[in-house]
């Protein structure tokens, strides 16, 4: 099947952001795309929201998901994008919503790993999702999983998705700029693809604070199509199960993995404890 990643520069205005996504989705549909992915914060960016953040989330989340459903139905393709979901008066969730080509909800994923790094504290305003909730949904005969932005630094999330059958991992992101950050982003996308022999499709927002660099990578981490730091655009590729099968024929990492093997660090700790206790 053909999928696209849409790179946008979200604002604090949900209506404007939906208009941009609708326009890109229409272009993607003309290319024969069956699923289009948009970035994290496609609903709006936290830094540009007027007034109280929680009030804005409560007001705009229903508008956002209804808008995504309408874009999907109008263009006859699945739409996946990230926004902020109310959480019963608590800090909202950073949530990715997926809709099928008829506008029906396929899945939602709440970001597990909050970006408390590089002097930023996402947990001040956002609640983490359930670590066990890593849903998989099907479009065009392929199985999709989702991990959001900072999640990609944690390989166990992608591995769990792959083991549960995901053939394509979708990565909506708002990857902050900074020293070496583009290199980190590209390296992590490649690693998640090749270590799990899955397709990876990443949609990054491109703003004054975020890098863009959206891409679709095959199961040996070759970027089949990609964007750099342009503010708006589409990358599109034919994502085939056949390619997964070909790669897993000569690189059967999921079959070869040994779950019970301890890491060197764990083994060293065990040896040290034995020495201290006099068992060694």
């Amino acid at each position: 099947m053909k999928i696209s990643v849409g790179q946008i520069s979200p604002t604090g205005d949900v209506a404007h952001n939906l208009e941009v996504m609708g326009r890109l989705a229409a272009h993607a549909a003309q290319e024969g795309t069956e699923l289009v992915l948009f970035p994290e914060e496609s609903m709006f960016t936290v830094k540009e929201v007027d007034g109280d953040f929680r009030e804005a989330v409560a007001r705009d989340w229903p508008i956002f998901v209804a808008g995504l459903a309408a874009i999907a139905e109008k263009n006859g393709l699945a739409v996946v994008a990230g926004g902020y979901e109310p959480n019963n008066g608590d800090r909202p969730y950073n949530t990715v919503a997926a809709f099928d080509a008829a506008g029906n909800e396929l899945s939602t994923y709440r970001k597990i790993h909050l970006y408390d790094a590089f002097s930023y504290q996402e947990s001040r305003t956002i609640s983490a999702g359930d670590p066990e909730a890593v849903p998989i949904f099907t479009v065009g005969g392929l199985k999709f999983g989702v991990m959001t932005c900072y999640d990609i630094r944690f390989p166990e999330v992608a591995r769990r998705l792959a083991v549960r059958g995901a053939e394509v991992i979708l990565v909506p992101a708002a990857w902050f700029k900074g020293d070496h950050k583009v290199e980190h982003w590209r390296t992590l996308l490649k690693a998640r693809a090749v270590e799990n022999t899955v397709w990876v499709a990443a949609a990054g927002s491109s703003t004054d604070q975020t890098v863009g660099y959206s891409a679709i990578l095959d199961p040996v981490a070759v970027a089949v199509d990609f964007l750099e730091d342009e503010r708006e655009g589409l990358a599109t590729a034919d994502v085939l199960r056949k390619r997964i099968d070909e790669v897993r024929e000569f690189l059967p990492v999921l079959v070869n993995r040994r779950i019970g093997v301890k890491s060197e660090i764990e083994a060293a700790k065990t040896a040290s404890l034995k020495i201290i206790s006099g068992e060694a």
Side-chain angles (χ1 to χ4, degrees), residues 40-41 45-47 53 84 94 111 114-126 150 174 176 181 209:
E40 179 186 27
E41 287 204 314
T45 57
V46 173
K47 291 185 177 181
F53 173 62
Y84 293 104
N94 184 331
K111 188 178 182 182
L114 301 183
Y115 185 60
D116 289 354
F118 293 98
S119 76
Y120 191 86
Q121 290 285 314
E122 187 177 15
S123 62
R124 291 177 180 172
T125 55
I126 301 298
Y150 191 50
F176 283 139
K181 293 296 293 295
Q209 293 82 36

Side-chain angles (χ1 to χ4, degrees), residues 175-227:
W175 197 262
F176 283 139
K177 292 179 178 178
D179 292 342
H180 314 297
K181 293 296 293 295
V182 171
E183 290 87 349
H184 289 189
W185 172 243
R186 288 172 158 174
T187 299
L188 291 163
L189 290 177
K190 289 182 177 182
R192 298 299 86 87
V194 74
E195 71 192 4
N196 295 295
T197 54
V198 295
W199 289 85
V200 169
S205 64
S206 181
T207 68
D208 292 339
Q209 293 82 36
T210 55
V211 301
Y213 285 86
S214 303
I216 301 173
L217 294 83
D218 81 353
V220 288
V222 173
V224 179
D225 198 9
F226 62 92
L227 302 167

Side-chain angles (χ1 to χ4, degrees), residues 42-227:
S42 288
M43 178 170 136
F44 55 54
T45 57
V46 173
K47 291 185 177 181
E48 294 193 29
V49 172
D50 291 330
D52 182 81
F53 173 62
R54 293 187 193 182
E55 290 179 2
V57 170
R59 179 191 67 230
D60 288 348
W61 174 255
I63 298 170
F64 179 64
V65 292
L68 295 182
I71 291 170
E73 183 177 16
K74 179 179 179 179
N75 294 286
L77 78 177
V79 175
V80 185
Y84 293 104
E85 176 191 11
N87 182 22
N88 297 321
D90 197 355
R91 291 161 298 159
Y93 292 113
N94 184 331
T95 300
V96 177
F99 294 87
D100 68 16
N104 301 311
E105 184 178 293
L106 285 167
S107 176
T108 57
Y109 167 71
R110 294 165 175 165
K111 188 178 182 182
I112 294 170
H113 297 96
L114 301 183
Y115 185 60
D116 289 354
F118 293 98
S119 76
Y120 191 86
Q121 290 285 314
E122 187 177 15
S123 62
R124 291 177 180 172
T125 55
I126 301 298
S127 293
D130 180 355
E132 297 301 316
V134 284
I136 291 173
F137 59 90
T138 302
V139 176
L142 288 176
K143 293 181 179 179
F144 292 81
V146 178
M147 51 196 303
T148 303
C149 200
Y150 191 50
D151 282 331
I152 202 169
R153 290 189 182 272
F154 301 88
E156 58 271 22
V157 181
R159 176 53 52 86
R160 185 183 297 181
L161 288 168
V163 169
R164 292 184 179 183
E167 297 160 307
V168 186
I169 295 178
L170 303 176
V171 189
W175 197 262
F176 283 139
K177 292 179 178 178
D179 292 342
H180 314 297
K181 293 296 293 295
V182 171
E183 290 87 349
H184 289 189
W185 172 243
R186 288 172 158 174
T187 299
L188 291 163
L189 290 177
K190 289 182 177 182
R192 298 299 86 87
V194 74
E195 71 192 4
N196 295 295
T197 54
V198 295
W199 289 85
V200 169
S205 64
S206 181
T207 68
D208 292 339
Q209 293 82 36
T210 55
V211 301
Y213 285 86
S214 303
I216 301 173
L217 294 83
D218 81 353
V220 288
V222 173
V224 179
D225 198 9
F226 62 92
L227 302 167

